[in-house]
Structure formats: structure tokens, C-alpha cells
Amino acid sequence: MPKKRENRGRHKGDKGKTGTVQCDNCGRIVPADKAICVTRWYSPVDPQLARELEKKGAIIPRYKITKCYCVSCAVHYGIVKVRPSEERKRRGIY
């Protein structure tokens, strides 16, 4: 069978088996190296209120939130774009 992708759609390399994670959107079990993980900063305080409080010298906590998505959910939410077929399989001599 021909390979569609050089990395077989994963970031595994030569590691062997990897663990799994659950998609934060649909709940699908996905290999950890195949999942698309996005890290965003989250503040429990409203941004406008936070600006006013910071002017007065208050320290507003911000937390890192990492969400992992399966490939289909990442494409659906626009985190990963579907590339045109010319860009998809660029291997070898350009």
C-alpha cells in the first residue's frame, strides 16, 4: 500500500506505542501524538474589569488551558485548515 503521508499523520517517529487522549469536543479516543493540542490563556475575570483592576495595582491570575482535539473536530473548528492537494503531498525535489 502506498503511504499517503510521510509521517503517517502522526508525530510519533520511531517511539513505538504512545498513550491516548480524549478529544475535548466529541470524546473520541485519539493517539496523543496525532491529537491537535491548543494551549490558550484563560482569565476568570472579565477583560474590561481586569484592566481597571490592574491599573489600581491588583494582580489578576491567568491560567494555561490545553485542549486536545481529534483531527475531524480540529478541522471543523478551523484550528487546522484543509490544504489544497498541490500543497498536501510535497515530498522530494521541489
Side-chain angles (χ1 to χ4, degrees), residues 20-93:
T20 56
V21 293
Q22 197 168 13
C23 175
D24 285 325
N25 184 48
C26 67
R28 180 183 290 167
I29 303 294
V30 189
D33 55 347
K34 189 172 190 170
I36 291 100
C37 294
V38 180
T39 303
R40 292 201 174 104
W41 286 96
Y42 166 75
S43 177
V45 182
D46 182 50
Q48 189 176 0
L49 178 64
R51 263 184 251 117
E52 291 177 21
L53 291 172
E54 283 173 354
K55 283 180 186 173
K56 295 181 180 179
I59 297 170
I60 307 297
R62 289 175 38 168
Y63 306 103
K64 270 187 183 180
I65 302 291
T66 302
K67 289 194 170 192
C68 292
Y69 297 99
C70 63
V71 176
S72 57
C73 288
V75 169
H76 180 72
Y77 281 105
I79 297 163
V80 175
K81 302 280 190 241
V82 178
R83 291 178 294 168
S85 57
E86 305 87 49
E87 289 181 28
R88 237 176 273 170
K89 288 178 72 170
R90 267 204 218 145
R91 276 189 255 155
I93 301 168

